[in-house]
Amino acid sequence: MRLPHALLPAVAALVAAVPATAGQGPAARAARAARAPAPAPRCRTAELAVALVRSPGGGAAGSVYQELAFTNRGRGTCALIGHPGVSFVAGGDGHRVGAAARRVAPPRPARVVLARRARAIATLRIARTADFPPSDCRPRRVRGLRVYPPGATAAAFVRRPGTACSSRADAQLSVTAVRAGRPPG
């Protein structure tokens, strides 16, 4: 079959356009999605070892800075994004003492993917109890910290005996979003 000479440019344009749209249909997108690795699931509290480690610099006027470390002890890769929830706890029942940690910058946290044994950290600032007026602070003995990994509904306990303000008016704690950390050493 011979095409009329006048139709040749239109046919050539149509043939040239086919490769640009080929592979864009639903079947092609599904095939590409099946080949792409699945994103790492969110880390669960049970998969993480949570601990306080020394922070370079360590302190400033009236505050102590420590790194809150989240180490993946699970079998596979998982991810964290955002700020952990942190508060002081006391007593055998682990009741909260004082205000929960205030979240500080960055405003848009990064997703941290943790391979097995990899670590993410968040910087925890703890204001000295002695720097608050006792009548406002109402100091109490504490056993440690209740820590919720970002996005988790189950908490981990981190031992840190001391004294904390029981007043919820001022946050004695502040915490940054998680970021990639050095491997445990």
Side-chain angles (χ1 to χ4, degrees):
M1 173 174 152
R2 287 188 69 127
L3 293 173
H5 195 58
L7 291 178
L8 286 178
V11 171
L14 182 61
V15 170
V18 169
T21 60
Q24 299 298 319
R29 284 192 297 272
R32 279 193 303 278
R35 288 190 304 264
R42 185 177 293 275
C43 297
R44 296 177 317 162
T45 304
E47 298 171 323
L48 297 169
V50 182
L52 281 173
V53 295
R54 292 186 187 262
S55 177
S63 296
V64 173
Y65 290 86
Q66 291 186 289
E67 289 179 347
L68 194 53
F70 300 88
T71 305
N72 180 2
R73 62 180 184 183
R75 294 183 182 183
T77 300
C78 65
L80 293 171
I81 183 170
H83 294 77
V86 183
S87 60
F88 284 113
V89 293
D93 62 352
H95 63 273
R96 186 171 102 181
V97 174
R102 184 174 46 94
R103 295 174 175 186
V104 295
R108 299 190 77 195
R111 180 179 171 85
V112 180
V113 177
L114 299 176
R116 190 162 188 248
R117 296 191 186 118
R119 176 186 278 180
I121 56 171
T123 301
L124 180 67
R125 181 191 63 83
I126 305 169
R128 288 178 3 132
T129 306
D131 289 347
F132 293 89
S135 60
D136 294 341
C137 172
R138 299 189 319 266
R140 300 285 183 266
R141 298 290 304 159
V142 295
R143 294 182 327 143
L145 301 166
R146 178 182 303 140
V147 179
Y148 289 91
T153 57
F157 172 76
V158 176
R159 185 169 158 33
R160 189 188 188 280
T163 305
C165 294
S166 63
S167 167
R168 293 190 182 187
D170 294 314
Q172 187 178 1
L173 302 168
S174 61
V175 66
T176 65
V178 294
R179 63 192 181 280
R182 297 176 308 279

